[in-house]
Amino acid sequence: MKILVTGGLGFIGSNFILKLLKESTQTGMDTIERSQQEKKYSIRKSTLLIVLSESWKEYYVERLDLDESKVLVLPNAIKLPEKIHNKPESPLNVLFAGRIGERKGTFDLISAWSKISPEARTKAILNITGDGQVEKASRLISELGVSDSASVLG
């Protein structure tokens, strides 16, 4: 849908900004490799292309022969604290919020959580919330035996 709208805007000469997120750029890379002219046209016609990293900028500049000044790197802004202040008597709460599924790494997170020692898991709680493959995530938590420290809230 994004390509249809941006293609139309480019065709009539309107300015527009196109932001490609990680998931869309990954699938976008595949379709661009397959020479889908509509996507190339939309990206080339955009007034500004926003990507999440320097490597994506290099990719689009090189593959589509874009002017570097038309590609802006705008990383997702997450500032991590230098020190996590946690009361010793309360467990550390770890939260995953987003689409639950393979593409977002939810099942990898649950698998990694199961590799933490049982003693360390008593000091932390993993809460997963979002939509998507909620039941599959719940089953994996049960199968890996981490129901005591991980849960899917939905």
Side-chain angles (χ1 to χ4, degrees):
M1 183 63 167
K2 186 188 293 187
I3 296 305
L4 181 63
V5 171
T6 58
L9 289 171
F11 183 73
I12 63 171
S14 293
N15 291 336
F16 62 93
I17 296 173
L18 183 60
K19 181 178 182 195
L20 298 177
L21 302 173
K22 181 179 180 198
E23 63 193 60
S24 61
T25 51
Q26 285 178 332
T27 56
M29 283 177 57
D30 296 338
T31 54
I32 286 173
E33 293 298 331
R34 293 186 201 115
S35 299
Q36 289 198 355
Q37 296 303 317
E38 305 87 28
K39 187 166 278 198
K40 288 181 182 180
Y41 177 81
S42 293
I43 292 171
R44 283 190 183 125
K45 283 293 192 178
S46 64
T47 307
L48 181 67
L49 176 65
I50 300 174
V51 295
L52 296 178
S53 70
E54 285 295 329
S55 61
W56 286 116
K57 178 177 180 174
E58 291 170 17
Y59 174 83
Y60 285 107
V61 166
E62 290 174 15
R63 295 287 172 98
L64 298 180
D65 196 31
L66 296 177
D67 180 350
E68 281 191 46
S69 66
K70 290 181 70 174
V71 183
L72 173 68
V73 176
L74 187 63
N76 282 335
I78 298 175
K79 185 176 179 181
L80 298 175
E82 289 184 28
K83 184 176 180 181
I84 297 174
H85 300 283
N86 193 38
K87 297 177 186 174
E89 66 275 2
S90 66
L92 175 68
N93 284 296
V94 178
L95 174 67
F96 172 94
R99 183 97 174 139
I100 299 171
E102 192 72 41
R103 190 180 78 213
K104 295 293 186 172
T106 316
F107 306 130
D108 292 335
L109 173 61
I110 296 167
S111 178
W113 191 262
S114 74
K115 292 176 175 40
I116 297 172
S117 74
E119 180 186 338
R121 281 198 316 261
T122 63
K123 299 174 185 172
I125 298 169
L126 171 62
N127 288 303
I128 298 172
T129 184
D131 61 355
Q133 296 176 301
V134 175
E135 290 185 23
K136 183 175 180 181
S138 294
R139 279 194 311 274
L140 184 58
I141 286 172
S142 294
E143 289 169 10
L144 295 176
V146 292
S147 298
D148 58 328
S149 63
S151 63
V152 179
L153 307 173

